[in-house]
Amino acid sequence: MKDNKLLVDEERKLNQHNQVKTKIENEVSDEVIARAENITSNETHQIDNIAQEFRGKALNEFVTTEREIGVSRVAARISQVVDFAFYVVYGLLALRLLLSLFSAKSSAGFVQFIRNVTDPLYEPFRGIVASPTIEGGYTLTLPIIIAIIAYSLLHLGINGLLRLIAQRKTVI
């Protein structure tokens, strides 16, 4: 036969503890509800002011964010156009370099077309350095390579500037 007195006593103490705990929780909850219902007019006015301030800040942040998103979209679109334009320039200059390297006939219509289109892009770089020629008329036109590098740097600078414009500024 087991002595259940200790077990019964522990269960009774646990039940009493849970009842006291529940009673205290209910009293605290009732007190919080009572205090919330008895807000003074001054407290109500303060709550309204704080809520209005939060509402105003949220609206201002929303409007500011929408403007910044619009500016970012425009800057991104401009960046895409700039990228396309520079890729066309790189392609045309690279084509002129290849035609020069393989000593394409200057009387050919396509060669004349490429030269006419790229002359305004190539002119500021013409004569910067000598263009070495090897037998058979093959010429490595170094000024075209310098032009491609210079246009690449300009391209990077423009895109960097557009990123600065498009970057969202965070205010704390």
Side-chain angles (χ1 to χ4, degrees), residues 71-135:
V71 168
S72 294
R73 285 181 182 148
V74 169
R77 183 62 64 197
I78 291 171
S79 177
Q80 289 174 335
V81 170
V82 166
D83 287 346
F84 178 76
F86 274 100
Y87 293 146
V88 168
V89 168
Y90 300 148
L92 290 171
L93 287 174
L95 193 53
R96 182 171 177 153
L97 176 68
L98 288 173
L99 291 172
S100 170
L101 187 61
F102 295 126
S103 65
K105 290 185 181 184
S106 58
S107 62
F110 183 71
V111 174
Q112 289 177 357
F113 170 76
I114 294 297
R115 281 193 177 176
N116 289 336
V117 170
T118 59
D119 270 343
L121 301 169
Y122 175 62
E123 195 60 38
F125 303 97
R126 188 184 305 274
I128 288 180
V129 293
S131 298
T133 304
I134 58 173
E135 63 181 86

Side-chain angles (χ1 to χ4, degrees), residues 131-142:
S131 298
T133 304
I134 58 173
E135 63 181 86
Y138 301 107
T139 304
L140 178 60
T141 316
L142 290 177

Side-chain angles (χ1 to χ4, degrees), residues 142-158:
L142 290 177
I144 292 177
I145 295 172
I146 293 171
I148 291 172
I149 292 169
Y151 286 122
S152 297
L153 293 174
L154 179 63
H155 184 194
L156 288 172
I158 291 171

Side-chain angles (χ1 to χ4, degrees), residues 1-11:
M1 185 173 222
K2 290 185 180 179
D3 189 14
N4 290 337
K5 288 182 181 179
L6 187 57
L7 184 61
V8 170
D9 191 44
E10 286 296 319
E11 285 182 19

